Amino acid sequence: MQTFFENKSAKVYYDTNLDTLFLEYTDKVANHEQFVVINAAVLKAFENLQTRKCVADIRKMGVISIESQKWVVDILLPGMIKHLGGEMPIVAQLLDRVEIFAKVAANKINEKVKDDKNGFRVMQFTERKAMEAYLKSV
């Protein structure tokens, strides 16, 4: 495992066994500025790797603003696609099945990405084992 970023709210690391960049929220995100700092670190790390796979473990993230959701759609995902030379990244989210607000935000991002990126979608999982099996299969 290679760690790229860590603060009170999140950790960004590369899992060599899954060939996947992980963004793991370890606490609630305080505001949009903190969200951007964390996700800019994700993009920078992604650009330094050869992987196409990225996971956002948002089980402890809390509620994110519409402005933050827009940042993912307008900056993060297009940056990943640009780095891959136009190829679509493989993106998954690990959700807490009882955390409704994070799930709503995740679904809004997924809907927006589907609309804007010609069928590109973010896979969503509530079980880590199922997500890992998916990552190994792609």
Side-chain angles (χ1 to χ4, degrees):
M1 181 170 73
Q2 179 182 3
T3 301
F4 288 91
F5 174 88
E6 190 167 6
N7 71 7
K8 176 184 175 287
S9 299
K11 182 176 182 177
V12 177
Y13 62 92
Y14 176 69
D15 182 320
T16 53
N17 293 329
L18 295 171
D19 184 30
T20 302
L21 180 66
F22 276 81
L23 163 56
E24 180 181 343
Y25 286 98
T26 54
D27 200 357
K28 295 189 183 329
V29 176
N31 53 42
H32 175 67
E33 290 74 24
Q34 185 184 54
F35 181 87
V36 169
V37 166
I38 293 165
N39 283 276
V42 169
L43 183 56
K44 183 177 179 184
F46 191 80
E47 292 171 342
N48 287 309
L49 296 168
Q50 298 301 312
T51 187
R52 291 181 55 217
K53 299 184 250 182
C54 184
V55 168
D57 179 345
I58 63 172
R59 294 176 292 179
K60 295 180 182 177
M61 176 181 68
V63 179
I64 61 166
S65 68
I66 291 179
E67 184 179 23
S68 294
Q69 294 170 38
K70 185 172 174 18
W71 195 91
V72 170
V73 173
D74 293 346
I75 307 295
L76 180 61
L77 295 174
M80 290 176 159
I81 293 167
K82 180 180 178 187
H83 168 68
L84 295 173
E87 283 189 61
M88 294 298 163
I90 297 164
V91 180
Q93 294 171 324
L94 189 56
L95 308 167
D96 182 338
R97 65 171 49 109
V98 298
E99 177 55 63
I100 190 68
F101 293 113
K103 194 169 188 173
V104 167
N107 286 335
K108 285 183 180 182
I109 289 170
N110 204 11
E111 289 170 14
K112 183 67 173 163
V113 169
K114 276 194 240 179
D115 291 345
D116 289 351
K117 303 292 180 246
N118 300 320
F120 171 73
R121 64 185 261 225
V122 177
M123 300 297 294
Q124 297 178 330
F125 299 89
T126 55
E127 300 293 331
R128 187 171 181 102
K129 283 186 180 187
M131 181 195 66
E132 287 179 0
Y134 166 75
L135 292 169
K136 289 176 183 177
S137 74
V138 292

